[in-house]
């Protein structure tokens, strides 16, 4: 350790100590990370968060990746109004019952009270249906696969940054099809887009499955979901895709003339992913030093940190390296502010930047640098001339290691229960998913929730038969269900 | 003309006739274009528009170009809440007076009435100030240059797609600086970013200048603006950049300790451009066949149209060309639906796609295609093997021709008035900008507006002295002003 590094250990420690250990208090750890990494700031409106540059840059990366994948499947972007007239919201019975209790109402515009209240969109099914009822006339107009990136509002009492807030950012896709089969295919396709994105880019393995009727979207025929396991063993619903059948089409009169000149109802889907997924990135990969961002989603992939930067030639060489990395296409930054390396290391670690490159006088003399991985803290000595080549390997290895580690953690925190005692013991003592059989009766779902606070996460597409009977009532089982406590 | 083309003339005409001629009724022409090009659709909420895929794709191109330019100047993106508590909106006196009459108020959240009303953001100065008052403490924290892409709401009685609507999309940049000089430099820098973007990408020449006190932003020390001239001779304010001095900082307590350890107020700016600019693209470049999009902003730059596509080899060759163009980096599409070429030509023209490539059996035999420019309808015969090379030249020529044409139109519609009779005659008989001297007195500005409905557009940065006296009152003149009727 150089003198410079040595002198900064105290300062370094202080920064790191500001984050509560995740084993001591996971909830506080999460809040600390979100705040210290400067992802969000609280606002004057209770329950609404400000997404700061470090947080928003992650969302921009997510948008870019998802948007590209959407467009590859033929999706087009649109923008729908922020407001929904009360009468329009009420057109689909289940839908309004699901959302009305948690919407914000505009009752005055300018100086005048409104004749009809407008709700601030909690989701935009009703607006898309209204549009489709006007622009879909013939089978030639189908399918329409629209998406929008926007914010939505849900009046939540208890809020937490990214996980649950009164306003959040998301995308909502809404499609309309000629047949039930096409709608079903699109519902599955978009769930797969989400799952692949999470695995390939966010290094988060997902369980894909179907929600029970109790947990499905208000107005949907079927809701498919991807469920992830957080570090503390709680589940997080990370994206959903809904098949509406022709329910909304009937409520909104979305009809078209088919090839035989018959007037028939269209079939619809909707699907969404929100800033909530940033919470998943934090809680799956983070550690006691802060965020750990998977290289493919990190807004900054590598931070060049000059050591003893006042010494002749160091800053020059560090900048040269930084420029080489940028030219090679890395999302690189250089931290050349007048602070001690230890402070810079802690800063880079809190922010979860996947790698840092330490470059000091001795390194330069030896024609090498030290690449440090954020996830393992492994130090890799690389020749200066080879950094631009080697770094992509290091980042790709880190990416796949992170996915592997998350998968192992999830598998190690997935237990099996074949009777109610085992089930209750698992909820109590083994944080994580619990796989158990279910009779299909909502009463059992409710009882489990009341007894244990665990909820049905999904009926996985990959069904296994681990017992013949329902884990709760003992009657013949219909489905394997993933259960868990959830965010 | 081939037989195929001949048979479609009638159909072609019908589509084109659906657009009112701009010389007959410019307002109706605008509405027709917006609707027929499928840029927007009206919604169930009076005054709110739905931006359809063709319209939103233009906005995405604008976002991409502007966002890149912002980031090159060190701007970072954030997201602020949609709602502003009434008490926060009221902190800066001029600001609240300017905006309160046109905001939407949320008075109920979920099932409960709110204790304090929330307004739906008409602009977010107050939220950014509130944030800056909390995160700016030392000169080391400065500058902060934040921007957000979002929608805002202003309760307008009379609305028109893109030009004026109750809700519109925009970006709003908000910066905070140590000194007045830095704030002034940023205000000018961002106005230049807007002006350069409009000229280089949208092919719209801009007059840069300063707004009079009467026309400036509520709460600003100075507002700079870019003003464009539409085809009908009306002006459109296309982007603004405001210097707030330390007025908002004093109202919101944004103070920092400077290098001498003294507590001082910060200086701020804000700047915005909105979906309104799409209205400018339409009204500067459009013609009686529809939209004409400048190649650099066009979501689709070239449409490949197979002629007699049922004949052997045509579709195959057309697709080959389409793939070549895509591989070469063009934003290309192929229109191979089972419709007549005339219908496809009209469709491509209405949507303003800069070029189409006609490829039929005879062309293939001759080893050539016909490239047709949307703006001039010029037909350019190009060898098939050379299309990928030649097309970029054609598009670049079209881009610069469009700018030149718009500049000539503007200059031909800019008149000079040295006395009030000339001024009134110009407003009456010469649609366009009027350059005239002004004494600096608001009374003259008001009188001109009342007498003629023309308003002061800006005091251009490039001042000339065309007379010694105010065009209205005859007293000594202080400034040259661009006047005009405006959208």
């Amino acid at each position: 350790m150089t003198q410079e590094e040595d002198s900064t250990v105290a300062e370094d420690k202080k920064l790191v100590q500001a984050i509560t250990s995740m084993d001591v208090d996971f909830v506080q750890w999460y809040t600390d990370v979100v705040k210290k990494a400067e992802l969000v700031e609280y606002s004057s409106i209770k329950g609404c968060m400000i997404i700061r540059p470090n947080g928003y840059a992650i969302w921009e990366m997510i948008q870019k990746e998802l948007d590209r994948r959407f467009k590859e499947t033929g999706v087009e972007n649109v923008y729908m109004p922020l407001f929904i007239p009360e009468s329009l919201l009420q057109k689909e019975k289940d839908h309004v019952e699901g959302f009305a209790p948690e919407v914000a109402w505009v009752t005055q515009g300018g100086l005048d009270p409104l004749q009809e209240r407008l709700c601030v969109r909690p989701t935009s099914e009703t607006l898309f249906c209204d549009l489709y009822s006007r622009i879909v006339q013939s089978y030639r107009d189908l399918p329409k696969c629209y998406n929008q990136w926007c914010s939505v509002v849900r009046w939540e009492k208890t809020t937490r940054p990214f996980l649950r807030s009164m306003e959040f950012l998301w995308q909502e896709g809404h499609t309309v099809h000629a047949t039930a089969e096409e709608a079903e295919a699109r519902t599955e396709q978009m769930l797969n887009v989400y799952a692949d994105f999470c695995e390939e880019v966010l290094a988060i393995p997902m369980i894909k499955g179907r929600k029970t009727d109790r947990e499905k979207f208000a107005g949907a025929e079927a809701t498919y979901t991807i469920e992830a396991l957080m570090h503390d063993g709680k589940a997080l619903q990370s994206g959903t895709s809904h098949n509406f059948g022709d329910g909304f089409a009937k409520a909104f009169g979305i009809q078209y003339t088919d090839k035989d000149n018959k007037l028939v109802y269209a079939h619809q889907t909707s699907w969404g992913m929100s800033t909530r997924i940033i919470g998943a990135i934090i809680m799956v990969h983070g550690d006691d030093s802060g965020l750990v961002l998977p290289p493919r989603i990190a807004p900054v992939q590598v931070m060049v940190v000059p050591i003893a930067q006042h010494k002749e030639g160091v800053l020059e060489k560090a900048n040269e390296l930084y420029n080489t990395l940028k030219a090679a296409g890395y999302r690189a930054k250089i931290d050349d502010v007048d602070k001690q390396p230890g402070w810079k290391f802690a800063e880079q670690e809190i922010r979860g930047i996947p790698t840092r490159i330490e470059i000091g006088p001795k390194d330069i003399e030896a024609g090498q640098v030290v690449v440090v991985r954020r996830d393992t803290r492994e130090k890799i000595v690389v020749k200066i001339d080879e950094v631009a080549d080697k770094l992509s390997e290091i980042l790709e290895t880190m990416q796949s290691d992170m996915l592997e580690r998350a998968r192992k953690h999830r598998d190690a925190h997935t237990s099996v229960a074949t009777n109610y005692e085992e089930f209750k013991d698992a909820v109590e003592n083994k944080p994580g998913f619990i796989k158990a059989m279910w009779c299909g009766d909502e009463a059992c779902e409710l009882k489990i929730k009341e007894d244990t606070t665990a909820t049905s996460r999904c009926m996985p597409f990959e069904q296994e038969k681990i017992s013949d009977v329902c884990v709760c009532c003992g009657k013949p089982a219909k489905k394997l269900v993933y259960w868990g406590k959830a965010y």
Side-chain angles (χ1 to χ4, degrees), chain A:
Chain A
M1 188 175 273
T2 68
Q3 204 191 334
E4 288 81 12
E5 286 176 49
D6 196 37
S7 72
T8 63
V9 168
E11 204 177 347
D12 186 353
K13 274 261 169 65
K14 204 177 64 189
L15 266 166
V16 174
Q17 280 170 355
I19 298 179
T20 306
S21 163
M22 62 201 312
D23 292 335
V24 170
D25 184 344
F26 193 78
V27 171
Q28 189 58 46
W29 168 84
Y30 179 82
T31 309
D32 286 351
V33 168
V34 158
K35 197 77 200 293
K36 303 277 172 194
E38 298 188 350
L39 301 183
V40 307
E41 176 71 42
Y42 296 99
S43 80
S44 304
I45 307 101
K46 198 177 159 296
C48 285
M49 61 178 170
I50 291 165
I51 307 183
R52 297 185 68 179
N54 289 351
Y56 199 81
I58 298 172
W59 183 238
E60 286 182 303
M61 292 294 300
I62 292 170
Q63 285 188 300
K64 199 174 137 194
E65 274 288 336
L66 274 182
D67 201 65
R68 184 177 57 73
R69 287 160 192 253
F70 293 163
K71 283 177 178 158
E72 280 169 9
T73 72
V75 171
E76 298 178 293
N77 285 337
V78 299
Y79 186 75
M80 302 295 278
L82 172 66
F83 300 128
I84 306 171
E86 188 164 16
S87 55
L88 194 64
L89 189 70
Q90 283 171 341
K91 277 204 172 179
E92 212 286 337
K93 199 182 122 288
D94 291 337
H95 189 68
V96 67
E97 277 176 16
F99 282 103
E102 56 179 41
V103 298
W105 292 102
V106 173
T107 57
Q108 183 167 344
L111 303 171
D112 308 315
L114 300 183
Q115 292 201 301
E116 179 181 12
R117 298 197 297 178
L118 301 175
C119 97
V120 183
R121 65 176 163 230
T123 180
S124 306
E125 272 73 14
T126 51
L127 293 169
F128 277 93
C129 286
D130 189 39
L131 172 66
Y132 288 145
S133 74
R134 273 178 282 150
I135 66 173
V136 172
Q137 268 104 37
S138 148
Y139 70 93
R140 286 192 199 85
D141 300 326
L142 295 172
K144 296 248 180 271
C145 302
Y146 291 172
N147 173 66
Q148 73 172 346
W149 294 93
C150 63
S151 82
V152 287
V153 168
R154 298 184 188 172
W155 214 261
E156 302 275 2
K157 296 247 155 98
T158 320
T159 61
R160 282 174 69 191
F162 297 122
L163 299 175
R164 195 171 291 278
S165 50
M166 258 176 41
E167 183 192 7
F168 57 86
L169 300 179
W170 78 346
Q171 59 66 220
E172 46 178 323
H174 297 265
T175 69
V176 56
H177 305 269
T179 66
E181 293 69 32
E182 271 183 52
E184 176 60 22
R186 174 57 75 167
T187 313
E188 288 171 20
Q189 179 181 30
M190 299 320 288
L191 194 81
N192 286 330
V193 167
Y194 290 145
D196 292 348
F197 163 74
C198 289
E199 295 215 6
E200 291 166 15
V201 181
L202 308 184
I204 302 177
M206 290 289 166
I207 304 290
K208 293 190 271 191
R210 181 177 173 159
K211 286 280 182 194
T212 61
D213 281 351
R214 196 185 128 73
E215 300 283 340
K216 75 180 180 187
F217 182 82
E221 206 162 79
T223 290
Y224 300 146
T225 178
I226 48 171
E227 301 278 330
L229 198 68
M230 304 297 104
H231 189 87
D232 65 345
K234 280 197 188 167
L236 188 83
Q237 176 183 307
S238 304
T240 48
S241 187
H242 316 291
N243 186 342
F244 290 143
D246 57 6
F248 276 90
K250 282 181 174 158
F252 286 82
I254 308 172
Q255 286 177 295
Y256 69 94
T257 346
D258 68 9
K259 287 182 182 170
D260 304 327
N261 216 24
K262 259 188 7 205
L263 198 63
V264 292
Y265 285 106
H267 291 74
Q268 292 174 272
T269 83
S270 85
W271 27 275
M273 182 170 270
S274 75
T275 36
R276 191 162 217 236
I277 197 72
I278 297 177
I281 300 172
I282 300 168
M283 293 194 291
V284 168
H285 299 302
D287 65 21
D288 280 351
S289 301
L291 270 184
V292 182
L293 292 174
R296 290 191 195 158
I297 205 71
V300 180
Q301 296 173 309
V302 54
M303 179 68 85
V304 176
V305 183
I307 310 289
Q309 65 183 41
H310 57 280
K311 293 214 175 143
E312 204 192 318
V314 171
L315 268 181
E316 197 188 332
K317 205 75 187 166
N319 268 301
E320 206 175 277
L321 177 62
Y322 161 64
N323 286 321
T324 305
L325 293 173
K326 273 213 305 185
Y330 293 103
R331 297 188 291 275
K333 278 210 170 177
I334 181 165
D335 192 352
D336 56 4
V337 296
D338 186 19
K339 291 193 173 166
Q340 297 294 352
W343 189 91
K344 297 181 186 179
F345 296 168
E347 186 74 4
Q348 168 254 331
E349 293 190 350
I350 286 176
R351 287 179 54 190
I353 295 166
T355 55
R356 71 168 175 260
I357 298 184
E358 304 174 5
I359 176 166
K362 283 181 191 164
D363 300 310
I364 294 167
E365 217 178 278
Q368 64 185 37
V369 297
V370 181
V371 180
V372 186
R373 263 174 66 165
R374 171 64 184 85
D375 60 334
T376 56
R377 289 195 170 69
E378 187 188 349
K379 294 190 171 208
I380 305 155
V381 176
V382 181
K383 288 197 183 139
I384 290 187
D385 300 341
E386 293 175 3
V387 179
D389 282 340
K390 287 275 155 87
L391 188 60
S392 70
E393 281 171 42
I394 294 170
L395 291 171
E396 277 307 295
T397 308
M398 177 172 167
Q399 179 83 29
S400 57
D401 287 357
M402 286 179 76
L403 175 60
E404 205 37 52
R405 213 176 299 127
R407 200 189 302 278
K408 274 192 185 145
H409 178 270
R410 183 195 64 189
D411 292 348
H413 290 79
T414 300
S415 46
V416 172
T418 52
N419 62 52
Y420 209 41
E421 285 315 305
E422 279 177 17
F423 190 94
K424 284 191 285 187
D425 176 62
V427 177
E428 193 92 355
N429 302 312
K430 298 175 192 161
F433 284 130
I434 303 162
K435 287 157 74 171
M437 303 305 288
W438 176 53
C439 60
D441 195 338
E442 197 172 313
C444 286
E445 225 183 327
L446 260 173
K447 179 170 164 55
I448 287 175
K449 189 178 178 187
E450 273 160 24
D451 289 351
T452 68
T453 74
T455 50
S456 70
R457 306 313 312 151
C458 70
M459 301 176 282
F461 291 154
E462 288 183 23
Q463 283 282 314
E464 305 161 55
K465 191 172 189 177
I466 56 177
S467 135
D468 290 324
V469 295
C470 175
V471 74
C472 182
C473 68
K475 286 184 195 154
K478 284 194 181 139
K479 286 281 181 189
L480 171 72
V481 170
Y482 272 80
W483 309 83
K485 295 187 184 178
Y487 281 98

